[in-house]
Amino acid sequence: ETGVTQTPRHLVMGMTNKKSLKCEQHLGHNAMYWYKQSAKKPLELMFVYSLEERVENNSVPSRFSPECPNSSHLFLHLHTLQPEDSALYLCASSQGSTVSNTEAFFGQGTRLTVV
Amino acid sequence: DAKTTQPPSMDCAEGRAANLPCNHSTISGNEYVYWYRQIHSQGPQYIIHGLKNNETNEMASLIITEDRKSSTLILPHATLRDTAVYYCIVRVVNQGGKLIFGQGTELSVKP
C-alpha cells in the first residue's frame, strides 16, 4: 500500500464509450502524474500536474483528457479510444513541485482493454 | 532530460548479492539518481535515491561514482521475490519532478 489509490483496477470499454480513470492520494503531495505502459514496454509519461497546473503533455492524443480538480485527485477521461490504447495506466504522486529530494509513489494501475 | 543506460537483463543466484549498474554520463549537478523496480504488471516500487554520497536503506545500497556518471544498485542477499525490472532514473528538478523511465534491467533471481 503506497497511499496512491487507482480505480477501477480493470476496465473493458468499447471504442465508442466514454469512461474515466480516477487517482487519489492523501499524502499531501503537490505533483501528480499519469503514465501509460503497453505490453512489455517501459512506462511512458503522459501528463504532469504540478500544484494543480498541467506542466507537461507529452504529445498525447486528445482522446485522453486529464483533469486535476484539487491536489488530492487526478482523473483521466477517455473517449473514442482505439484497441492500441489497451495498456496499464499508472498514476503517481510526489512532493516534486517543491522538493527535489523526494520519492514518487505509484498506484497499482488500471488495466484497460479497448474492444 | 539526462538519459540512463542499463543492461537489458541479468541473472543472480538466490542468496548472493545482485549488483545492477547504470550509466548516466549527462547528469547535471543538482539531479538525483533514483532506483525503482516493477514486479510483473504492478506499480513501480521506490527503492532508493542519492545525489553524490553512497546511500543504504533496508532494501538496498546505492553506490555513486565520484564523477557521478554512473551508479550501482546493490541488493545484498537476493531472494526469488527480488525478480523484477529495475529502473535507474535521473530525476528532473523542475516540471513537477517528473520521472522518465528507460528500458530498465530485468533481474532474474534463480534458486
Side-chain angles (χ1 to χ4, degrees):
Chain A
E1 180 56 54
T2 63
V4 180
T5 303
Q6 290 187 242
T7 54
R9 293 292 306 277
H10 300 272
L11 178 63
V12 179
M13 61 185 288
M15 289 189 283
T16 58
N17 291 158
K18 290 184 180 181
K19 296 286 185 183
S20 296
L21 310 184
K22 179 181 177 182
C23 178
E24 186 172 357
Q25 58 88 10
H26 296 288
L27 302 168
H29 289 168
N30 54 28
M32 297 187 78
Y33 320 84
W34 278 117
Y35 288 84
K36 173 186 177 183
Q37 187 173 33
S38 301
K40 298 196 180 295
K41 291 188 176 181
L43 282 73
E44 300 171 51
L45 181 64
M46 300 176 73
F47 301 105
V48 178
Y49 276 83
S50 174
L51 302 171
E52 300 170 39
E53 296 288 326
R54 191 192 311 178
V55 297
E56 180 132 349
N57 176 351
N58 272 343
S59 302
V60 179
S62 59
R63 57 185 182 271
F64 296 91
S65 174
E67 179 191 5
C68 186
N70 55 61
S71 60
S72 298
H73 295 86
L74 185 66
F75 294 89
L76 188 63
H77 303 300
L78 316 171
H79 65 97
T80 59
L81 294 192
Q82 305 298 312
E84 59 264 30
D85 296 322
S86 298
L88 181 68
Y89 288 85
L90 289 155
C91 171
S93 72
S94 80
Q95 273 292 86
S97 298
T98 49
V99 181
S100 59
N101 182 20
T102 177
E103 60 265 41
F105 294 95
F106 283 79
Q108 289 303 303
T110 295
R111 173 70 62 189
L112 174 67
T113 302
V114 181
V115 298
Chain B
D1 301 342
K3 292 191 67 174
T4 61
T5 304
Q6 299 177 252
S9 63
M10 292 181 64
D11 290 339
C12 178
E14 188 178 19
R16 304 298 292 270
N19 297 282
L20 293 90
C22 179
N23 287 321
H24 33 78
S25 58
T26 61
I27 192 170
S28 298
N30 59 351
E31 290 178 327
Y32 285 76
V33 178
Y34 280 74
W35 284 82
Y36 281 77
R37 71 181 183 184
Q38 187 177 27
I39 297 170
H40 181 64
S41 293
Q42 296 182 22
Q45 177 190 21
Y46 166 78
I47 302 173
I48 199 167
H49 72 279
L51 183 63
K52 51 185 177 182
N53 297 322
N54 297 338
E55 301 288 342
T56 295
N57 62 22
E58 65 279 4
M59 290 183 68
S61 295
L62 174 60
I63 308 299
I64 302 175
T65 57
E66 195 169 338
D67 63 8
R68 302 211 325 124
K69 292 185 177 181
S70 65
S71 60
T72 301
L73 179 74
I74 302 172
L75 307 178
H77 305 286
T79 71
L80 299 179
R81 288 183 293 180
D82 292 321
T83 293
V85 179
Y86 287 76
Y87 296 99
C88 168
I89 302 162
V90 173
R91 189 167 194 185
V92 178
V93 297
N94 54 11
Q95 296 179 309
K98 63 185 180 181
L99 294 164
I100 304 298
F101 286 77
Q103 299 290 329
T105 295
E106 188 167 6
L107 175 69
S108 296
V109 180
K110 300 181 184 300

